[in-house]
């Protein structure tokens, strides 16, 4: 490859990396929280229209609201706003919404309150591995390693192995509690 051809290839690769980074917010509905665009306070990302809309009165599904709340909490660390979005749900008593409420309250330092939401979520869907991971992490925070390890065993049984993300993340938290 000539020097000029190499330079052109490098420039093209670099441009692809730069412009690719700007394309992240355009991902379709159903992607994880890391690809959901962040809206201004008081707005919610509508997966159907693919734009930010006013949180109150928006014709957005409860599932969309729960997913956006989780994105606010997980990606942007906007825990209080995530709780406010969850408060706008018509039916906030789903396994996912309770899990996300538990996550946001735990991250706000209200671990016992978070555990109460996690246990309600587990009661609704005992096979929901993400809530078991977060419940285990809450137990790690409280120093209740036996309960955290119980959640780890359950996740292993549900996943059928130790390679699923929920198992790996909870295992890492048990090994290194300061990571939480």
């Amino acid at each position: 490859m000539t020097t000029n051809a190499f330079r052109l290839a490098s420039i093209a690769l670099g441009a692809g990396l730069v412009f690719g980074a700007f394309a992240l917010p355009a991902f379709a509905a159903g992607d994880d929280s890391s690809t959901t665009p962040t809206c201004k306070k008081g707005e919610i990302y509508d997966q159907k229209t693919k734009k930010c809309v006013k949180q109150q009165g928006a014709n957005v599904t409860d599932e969309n609201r729960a997913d956006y709340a989780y994105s606010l909490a997980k990606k942007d660390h906007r825990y209080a706003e995530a709780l406010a979005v969850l408060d706008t749900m018509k039916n906030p008593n789903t396994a996912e919404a309770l899990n996300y409420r538990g996550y946001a309250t735990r991250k706000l330092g209200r671990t016992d309150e978070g555990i109460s939401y996690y246990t309600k979520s587990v009661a609704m869907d005992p096979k929901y591995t993400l809530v078991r991971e977060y419940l285990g992490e809450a137990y790690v925070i409280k120093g209740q390693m036996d309960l955290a390890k119980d959640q780890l065993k359950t996740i292993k049984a549900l996943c059928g192995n130790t390679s699923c993300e929920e198992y790996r993340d909870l295992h890492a938290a048990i090994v290194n509690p300061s990571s939480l």
Side-chain angles (χ1 to χ4, degrees):
M1 182 180 278
T2 68
T3 304
N4 284 340
F6 181 76
R7 282 186 190 144
L8 287 173
S10 297
I11 291 168
L13 177 61
L17 292 173
V18 170
F19 291 120
F22 292 111
L24 282 177
F27 282 97
D31 288 329
D32 70 8
S33 64
S34 65
T35 59
T36 301
T38 302
C39 302
K40 295 184 293 189
K41 187 174 183 175
E43 293 184 342
I44 184 171
Y45 182 72
D46 182 351
Q47 295 171 346
K48 190 175 184 180
T49 63
K50 302 205 181 332
K51 61 184 177 181
C52 294
V53 296
K54 291 288 181 199
Q55 184 173 298
Q56 294 294 337
N59 189 19
V60 177
T61 66
D62 275 359
E63 181 181 359
N64 189 152
R65 290 176 189 277
D67 290 346
Y68 185 67
Y70 184 58
S71 176
L72 281 174
K74 184 79 173 172
K75 181 178 85 171
D76 298 320
H77 311 287
R78 292 165 57 184
Y79 309 117
E81 287 178 61
L83 292 172
V85 170
L86 291 170
D87 287 342
T88 67
M89 293 178 66
K90 290 181 181 121
N91 179 16
N93 292 313
T94 66
E96 290 79 14
L98 290 166
N99 180 35
Y100 302 159
R101 184 172 292 280
Y103 181 84
T105 56
R106 173 173 63 99
K107 290 297 191 173
L108 285 169
R110 302 178 343 225
T111 307
D112 289 329
E113 183 181 350
I115 288 172
S116 73
Y117 291 120
Y118 293 144
T119 56
K120 289 176 187 174
S121 178
V122 167
M124 294 179 96
D125 186 356
K127 295 180 179 180
Y128 183 22
T129 55
L130 184 61
V131 73
R132 291 190 173 275
E133 174 196 334
Y134 291 160
L135 177 57
E137 289 175 358
Y139 288 142
V140 169
I141 290 167
K142 293 192 57 81
Q144 298 173 320
M145 297 306 225
D146 56 329
L147 296 176
K149 289 176 183 176
D150 286 345
Q151 293 304 314
L152 190 65
K153 287 179 197 168
T154 302
I155 293 169
K156 179 180 177 182
L158 291 170
C159 290
N161 57 49
T162 60
S163 63
C164 67
E165 182 178 359
E166 294 86 351
Y167 182 93
R168 291 190 321 265
D169 290 350
L170 179 53
H171 182 266
I174 291 169
V175 171
N176 182 15
S178 66
S179 67
L180 292 175

